[in-house]
Amino acid sequence: MSSLPPAAEDLFLRPRSVLLERIVEWTIRSSAFVVIAALVLIFVFVGKEALPILTSSAVHEEVDLVRMVAPLESGGFSWQPVSTVPKYSLLPLFLGTLKVTLVALLFAIPVALGAAIFTSEFAPQGIREVLKPVVELLAGIPSVVVGFFALMVLATWLQDAFGLLLRLNAITAGLGLAVAVIPIVYTVAEDALTAVPQVFRDGSFALGANRWQTAWRVVLPAAMPGVFAACVLGAGRAFGETMIVLMSSGNAPTVSLDPTESFRSFSATIAAELGEAVHGGPHYHVLFFLGAFLFVVTFGLNLAGHWYVGRLRDKMQGKSRLASRGGGR
Amino acid sequence: MSTSAAASASAVGIESKIRARGLNAWYGVFHALKGITLEIPARRVTSVIGPSGCGKSTLLRCLNRMNDTIRSFRAEGELLLDGADILRETDLVRLRKRVGMVFQRPNPFPLSVFENVAYGPRIHGERNRGRLAEIVERSLAATGLWAELRDRLAENALALSAEQQQRLCISRLLAVGPEVLLMDEPCSALDPVATRRVEELMQELKRDYTIVIVTHNMQQAARASDNCGFMWLGELKEFDETGTIFTRPKDPQTEGYVTGRFG
Ligand SMILES: Nc1ncnc2c1ncn2[C@@H]1O[C@H](COP(=O)(O)OP(=O)(O)OP(=O)(O)O)[C@@H](O)[C@H]1O
Ligand SMILES: [Mg+2]
């Protein structure tokens, strides 16, 4: 300690600590600003390249919004951007994306929620400490590795097991995609379940409920907004994931909801075609338009997910919607 | 061993609901309850007082086996509910239906008022909407909440005041038809007015239920309980009628505690 009297010490310290505080504050502020700026710039860039779809007459000679959505003059819907008469129907890509996302979620959500409930409500401390990091480690597997696994191993298994006609289809890709989705749903849901205060469980046990009843009727409903957020974030991930789908979908833009048929997704289309599309041509702009669409949808899903996590916090503090609407007592 | 407590335990000549003889409990190697012997009379309020960490909650949680979830916990000795062994009871669901518990912090589930009260009957197999509604009304009425909340049954229970929440927790308990109500410092999160209302409620409830309450509030024990036990470092030092404990305690430590000389 210094031997200066307190007042003098104050004199020396105050300006320096204020300066330090300012520097720290500005560092934090500017890094937050950089992140937001990057996000905005990405969106501006993608949006700028997508805009000619709406505005450019040169592009309109080949494609416009109506032709992307309505049936073709030749009948039907097809995505053939590099044929002599380029066709840009979005329906095949939309159905493909929808199909694979649904298969992935149908598989990932039960598995992830089951694992999350097991981890937070049933597993002994030791298992819990291992299980959570291991599942979260799954998220770190590069998607190209998962895609490769789906392409080489999963496809063969599934074909042998179910006698499928095609190796690469929405079931194969959906299961591969589930590997990427499970860790997200699991982590967010597990956090939500663990955040449910122990006193709720005690209250339930004290009424004679067993672990199942407590998990199912008290903990899960209490954590619902967070669990829902987990599913929404998982959907966002499934929707935007590219490499796994690109490798294991068969990449055929079919108009079909049959999960055993090959398909093509929005994201895989962009990845596969952008490198070959003529810079500034209609095809190029269409791909950016798809990119902007993906961006908006995944951004929206993430936003919704985080909003629901916020709801969870309110719920835990007793700020129900009913209560706030009901006003004073 | 607490022989002085054993002597005074049978002083009251009424039907006893719970009987403990040489009850010992451990958290790992820590000896938390040391030879507890007492008789808790039926349809009375029995309070347990003593300094922090003396084992009051541990004793209470033995009575409905809530400590089973703590891995290191172990209890030995005789602990009888209507003559049947609590510690060797295999059907915990049945035991906890008979011996319910109210916690220190009000802990209604983050569900509606109705669902909170209907929860117990539901998990015990009641499906009939009409009967559930009946049970909910009766249980809420028993704590005086029905008049206040009959139009707010769908509201989230966490939006109620702390005192209403605590009474809701009591209603929730009554809905499963218990015989014994354990209350671990049920008023410590409440203001004095709310505390008085819960105490009045206990006086009404003791007509039908056996109540055991842990409290740090000496006035509360004196006001609201018929019998009182004083605990000290895991031992039950003295157990007698509340009046006797507060006016003519036999044990010098009890006297020191109730007169506020230490604790
Ligand atoms: N889960 C546990 N593991 C280990 N020791 C425990 C555990 N719970 C309680 N104890 C110990 O057992 C002793 C009695 O605890 P208990 O909670 O019964 O005391 P109490 O009289 O209720 O205290 P308070 O008035 O503070 O609530 C304390 O010394 C405490 O540290
Ligand atoms: Mg306690």
Side-chain angles (χ1 to χ4, degrees):
Chain A
M1 287 307 284
S2 87
S3 55
L4 290 166
E9 202 172 23
D10 238 31
L11 258 173
F12 279 100
L13 279 176
R14 194 174 285 150
R16 216 191 323 154
S17 64
V18 167
L19 186 67
L20 196 73
E21 219 167 83
R22 286 251 171 91
I23 293 174
V24 170
E25 194 182 316
W26 275 103
T27 315
I28 294 171
R29 267 201 205 161
S30 47
S31 51
F33 176 77
V34 166
V35 173
I36 294 172
L39 201 69
V40 171
L41 283 179
I42 291 173
F43 188 71
V44 166
F45 172 72
V46 174
K48 191 176 115 286
E49 297 294 327
L51 206 59
I53 295 294
L54 303 176
T55 56
S56 154
S57 50
V59 171
H60 283 174
E61 280 174 21
E62 202 170 300
V63 58
D64 57 40
L65 267 187
V66 175
R67 272 181 282 178
M68 286 158 80
V69 177
L72 300 165
E73 279 161 33
S74 52
F77 299 87
S78 58
W79 175 267
Q80 287 169 359
V82 283
S83 69
T84 39
V85 185
K87 303 186 185 79
Y88 293 103
S89 290
L90 295 188
L91 190 69
L93 307 185
F94 176 74
L95 292 183
T97 308
L98 186 70
K99 182 155 95 164
V100 74
T101 302
L102 285 182
V103 171
L105 292 181
L106 233 52
F107 185 72
I109 287 178
V111 171
L113 290 191
I117 292 174
F118 173 76
T119 313
S120 80
E121 304 304 309
F122 294 92
Q125 191 63 28
I127 294 185
R128 178 182 311 188
E129 273 160 19
V130 176
L131 199 61
K132 191 158 194 212
V134 166
V135 177
E136 285 170 352
L137 223 57
L138 267 184
I141 302 178
S143 28
V144 68
V145 174
V146 178
F148 184 76
F149 172 77
L151 174 69
M152 302 306 289
V153 184
L154 204 59
T156 313
W157 282 353
L158 288 171
Q159 194 173 32
D160 291 349
F162 299 108
L164 302 177
L165 211 60
L166 301 158
R167 291 183 77 242
L168 303 181
N169 53 52
I171 295 178
T172 312
L175 289 186
L177 196 50
V179 175
V181 173
I182 285 172
I184 292 181
V185 180
Y186 171 84
T187 309
V188 179
E190 210 271 343
D191 285 347
L193 293 169
T194 321
V196 174
Q198 183 61 28
V199 291
F200 293 152
R201 296 185 186 88
D202 287 344
S204 174
F205 292 142
L207 287 166
N210 59 31
R211 276 169 184 269
W212 276 111
Q213 291 165 323
T214 304
W216 189 248
R217 289 164 180 260
V218 175
V219 181
L220 197 60
M224 212 35 161
V227 169
F228 189 73
C231 299
V232 171
L233 292 173
R237 176 82 162 91
F239 199 75
E241 168 57 42
T242 307
M243 191 48 85
I244 298 173
V245 183
L246 180 65
M247 291 173 80
S248 55
S249 63
N251 277 321
T254 54
V255 182
S256 156
L257 268 176
D258 180 355
T260 63
E261 275 188 48
S262 293
F263 67 97
R264 182 188 284 208
S265 76
F266 286 128
S267 54
T269 304
I270 298 171
E273 296 176 7
L274 193 58
E276 288 149 32
V278 179
H279 186 92
H283 185 197
Y284 174 89
H285 290 305
V286 168
L287 292 178
F288 267 96
F289 187 75
L290 295 185
F293 174 67
L294 275 180
F295 187 97
V296 168
V297 170
T298 44
F299 192 73
L301 285 175
N302 282 320
L303 218 59
H306 289 294
W307 183 72
Y308 268 97
V309 171
R311 281 282 308 276
L312 176 71
R313 229 168 284 130
D314 291 351
K315 190 171 174 182
M316 288 304 157
Q317 292 160 6
K319 291 188 227 144
S320 72
R321 240 181 328 139
L322 263 168
S324 54
R325 213 190 298 139
R329 280 193 292 274
Chain B
M1 295 286 128
S2 57
T3 41
S4 63
S8 54
S10 54
V12 267
I14 19 175
E15 177 198 352
S16 69
K17 186 76 184 171
I18 292 172
R19 195 191 295 256
R21 198 165 310 244
L23 175 67
N24 286 285
W26 292 265
Y27 293 104
V29 293
F30 176 71
H31 200 170
L33 293 180
K34 301 173 183 164
I36 304 286
T37 297
L38 84 170
E39 284 184 32
I40 294 171
R43 287 179 293 282
R44 292 288 164 97
V45 177
T46 300
S47 62
V48 181
I49 58 172
S52 203
C54 67
K56 305 180 295 294
S57 299
T58 306
L59 174 61
L60 211 61
R61 293 164 69 92
C62 279
L63 302 181
N64 68 343
R65 297 267 299 275
M66 272 304 278
N67 270 346
D68 279 25
T69 49
I70 298 170
R71 198 89 67 76
S72 65
F73 183 79
R74 186 163 57 87
E76 273 173 15
E78 193 177 87
L79 185 59
L80 307 175
L81 171 66
D82 286 336
D85 197 337
I86 292 178
L87 296 183
R88 274 161 211 81
E89 173 69 66
T90 47
D91 189 353
L92 283 188
V93 173
R94 208 176 65 112
L95 173 67
R96 289 178 183 164
K97 260 176 92 169
R98 296 177 65 194
V99 184
M101 183 165 226
V102 176
F103 296 82
Q104 182 169 358
R105 291 264 313 280
N107 62 345
F109 304 131
L111 307 170
S112 71
V113 170
F114 184 94
E115 286 304 322
N116 262 278
V117 184
Y119 180 80
R122 279 229 168 92
I123 58 171
H124 297 306
E126 181 61 73
R127 298 254 180 288
N128 184 307
R129 288 287 307 179
R131 272 202 296 276
L132 280 174
E134 209 175 281
I135 294 173
V136 169
E137 177 173 349
R138 181 156 31 83
S139 310
L140 286 174
T143 61
L145 274 182
W146 178 252
E148 292 165 43
L149 296 183
R150 57 188 308 165
D151 301 320
R152 296 167 62 193
L153 295 180
E155 206 166 291
N156 190 323
L158 296 185
L160 303 178
S161 73
E163 182 245 347
Q164 285 177 322
Q165 289 189 10
Q166 196 59 300
R167 282 194 286 152
L168 181 65
C169 290
I170 298 174
S171 298
R172 179 173 78 182
L173 209 55
L174 301 183
V176 301
E179 299 158 31
V180 181
L181 308 182
L182 308 175
M183 303 188 176
D184 195 346
E185 302 182 40
C187 301
S188 64
L190 306 182
D191 66 33
V193 177
T195 300
R196 278 314 265 268
R197 295 187 65 172
V198 172
E199 285 173 15
E200 284 163 21
L201 176 59
M202 291 191 322
Q203 296 310 311
E204 285 165 35
L205 291 175
K206 79 176 187 185
R207 283 202 299 265
D208 302 309
Y209 304 93
T210 302
I211 299 177
V212 187
I213 174 177
V214 165
T215 177
H216 270 284
N217 180 337
M218 223 73 71
Q219 285 89 16
Q220 180 166 60
R223 273 195 306 260
S225 70
D226 305 299
N227 290 63
C228 180
F230 170 68
M231 289 186 69
W232 170 253
L233 294 178
E235 288 179 39
L236 184 66
K237 282 293 181 189
E238 190 163 353
F239 185 79
D240 214 321
E241 283 177 35
T242 303
T244 313
I245 292 280
F246 280 91
T247 54
R248 303 181 302 280
K250 299 189 188 68
D251 186 285
Q253 263 158 335
T254 312
E255 186 178 8
Y257 187 75
V258 298
T259 55
R261 276 210 300 275
F262 75 97

